Amino acid sequence: MILDAVNLNGATVRLVLEDGRIAAIEPMPGPATQTAIPLPVEPHVHLDKAFTIHRARADRLGLFGAIEAMAADKARWTPLDLLTRIEDGMAEAWAAGCRAVRTHIDWTEPAVPLAWEVAAEVAEEWADRMMLVRASLSPIDLLGDPGHGPKIAERVARDGQVLGAFIYRHPGLEDGIPFVFDLAERHDLWLDFHVDEGLEVEAAALDLITAEATRRGMGDRVLCGHACSLSIRSDADRAIDALAASGVALTVMPTTNLYLQDMTPGRSPRLRGLAPAQELRAAGVPVLLGTDNVRDPFYPMGVHDPLESLRLAALAAHLDPAEWLGAITEAPARALGLAPQPLAVGEPADFLLFPAPDLLSALARPGVPRQVWRAGCPHAEGVAP
């Protein structure tokens, strides 16, 4: 198989594909007519919550109104309901071209959640197509409880998954965060934190996570998400420098954070609520873009498609899509412990192909057409509805 006039990293090339791999990359004269990029990796979604907006409306605005609405909806979470919604989310991500997905699973009570078990079944079913990684999501006061946290960590470790916590202005963080790191060290677990998802300057748990990861040399095993308060903290530069030195990566979620942050009845938002992606990356922090919530009380629209996250981030954070492509490909792959898959000779012929001369042109309009190539064959066109 030969693909001519392909824009690959800014150069016009011919791609020669053989036996599911890239056999040759040959320079070509003239302009490109199509663009190839590596398959994206999705580092942060909530498949257990997805597609519930039609039945789970928040009674009050903002993050905690969404949390309350979601908690009420859990009474409807049967095995069939969860299986259907999680499968639908995976199908969207597959059609979008993802090579791997990390989903958070709410774990708000000591017992193992039904969604954890159902997601495990889905992961096994999809194992030969697309990796699904589960990250437990417990309030820090539950995971940091000596009576409950060790049992949660033991189960997560038994399943070979990721330990996670939600932290927002909780009391006792000076003890709770080190305790969670203790659990991770004891069971050789990776960590994933929802942290500082709000616009109060005193929300600074990220600093404690950074310090603990640095002290233990665990930064490359820790991923944080949100850190919205960094956008308004007067000491953000210091916090960002410390984060960069720690090796901890940060996921920015343009959909949910733009939607929920600075949400006030009868008033247009003044603040974007996004962590300062440009300053973070300039300091050396690995910055990822995540889809987060899809069609649930946290974000009532959306699709499981990292390209849509890149498009919205380009608008909201003033990013050049071509310069930030790594935030949905290489950076999330590394943060999830996967080897990046560059488009190079000898590598798998897995990529997205757009009928456009460059990435900016491909992202210029919603519903970007694409071909998803896996093992040297086009598997799908477009994004599943």
Side-chain angles (χ1 to χ4, degrees):
M1 173 71 69
I2 295 177
L3 298 174
D4 282 333
V6 176
N7 180 337
L8 182 61
N9 302 321
T12 302
V13 303
R14 172 182 292 117
L15 290 181
V16 181
L17 314 179
E18 294 179 1
D19 299 324
R21 293 190 172 270
I22 300 174
I25 300 175
E26 303 167 353
M28 288 189 67
T33 59
Q34 48 192 344
T35 296
I37 66 170
L39 296 185
V41 173
E42 176 54 70
H44 188 124
V45 291
H46 294 265
L47 295 178
D48 57 345
K49 300 182 173 87
F51 313 120
T52 56
I53 188 58
H54 63 286
R55 68 190 197 200
R57 298 279 183 172
D59 292 330
R60 63 180 177 127
L61 298 180
L63 173 65
F64 289 94
I67 290 174
E68 291 165 2
M70 202 75 262
D73 188 69
K74 287 181 182 178
R76 302 182 177 95
W77 290 16
T78 65
L80 179 58
D81 172 65
L82 284 163
L83 181 65
T84 301
R85 293 188 292 102
I86 293 172
E87 284 275 9
D88 286 350
M90 289 290 283
E92 278 195 342
W94 172 260
C98 289
R99 59 177 282 226
V101 174
R102 177 183 288 183
T103 183
H104 297 269
I105 301 292
D106 275 12
W107 197 317
T108 57
E109 302 292 338
V112 178
L114 174 63
W116 185 262
E117 306 279 16
V118 174
E121 297 175 10
V122 175
E124 183 175 358
E125 178 187 344
W126 279 81
D128 61 347
R129 289 171 284 170
M130 182 173 64
M131 176 185 293
L132 176 60
V133 180
R134 290 167 289 154
S136 63
L137 179 56
S138 302
I140 187 67
D141 46 9
L142 175 65
L143 190 58
D145 184 327
H148 300 304
K151 296 177 183 178
I152 295 173
E154 287 169 8
R155 178 54 188 266
V156 171
R158 191 186 87 184
D159 292 349
Q161 302 302 306
V162 177
L163 189 66
F166 170 77
I167 303 174
Y168 188 67
R169 302 171 72 193
H170 286 78
L173 293 179
E174 292 78 5
D175 295 324
I177 288 173
F179 184 76
V180 171
F181 272 86
D182 286 344
L183 295 175
E185 284 194 321
R186 185 180 311 155
H187 295 284
D188 194 27
L189 291 168
W190 290 45
L191 290 168
D192 196 321
F193 295 98
H194 284 59
V195 61
D196 301 340
E197 191 178 352
L199 294 175
E200 286 82 15
V201 294
E202 66 271 19
L206 181 67
D207 298 0
L208 297 175
I209 294 170
T210 297
E212 201 64 28
T214 300
R215 184 175 73 82
R216 299 175 188 242
M218 289 179 60
D220 61 350
R221 298 169 65 88
V222 180
L223 178 58
C224 290
H226 299 291
C228 303
S229 65
L230 273 182
S231 65
I232 60 169
R233 285 176 54 182
S234 61
D235 63 343
D237 289 345
R238 178 201 56 76
I240 289 171
D241 287 343
L243 185 63
S246 74
V248 171
L250 180 68
T251 306
V252 175
M253 263 72 70
T255 57
T256 303
N257 289 158
L258 284 172
Y259 181 71
L260 291 178
Q261 298 304 311
D262 200 22
M263 183 181 275
T264 304
R267 179 179 70 78
S268 299
R270 305 293 193 267
L271 304 173
R272 297 192 177 197
L274 295 181
Q278 295 193 47
E279 291 85 348
L280 285 158
R281 195 174 77 165
V285 177
V287 179
L288 293 55
L289 296 175
T291 295
D292 207 5
N293 299 84
V294 172
R295 285 172 269 170
D296 65 24
F298 297 83
Y299 184 64
M301 298 172 281
V303 64
H304 294 93
D305 180 6
L307 264 294
E308 290 301 315
S309 298
L310 178 60
R311 182 205 312 279
L312 184 54
L315 170 65
H318 298 167
L319 310 180
D320 181 329
E323 292 182 2
W324 282 80
L325 177 61
I328 63 168
T329 56
E330 180 180 354
R334 293 187 186 280
L336 269 60
L338 304 175
Q341 284 188 351
L343 299 186
V345 173
E347 293 289 335
D350 299 340
F351 51 87
L352 298 184
L353 189 66
F354 304 95
D358 52 49
L359 184 58
L360 181 59
S361 299
L363 292 178
R365 58 189 178 87
V368 54
R370 73 194 74 177
Q371 283 188 334
V372 182
W373 287 67
R374 291 184 168 94
C377 298
H379 277 214
E381 292 192 7
V383 179

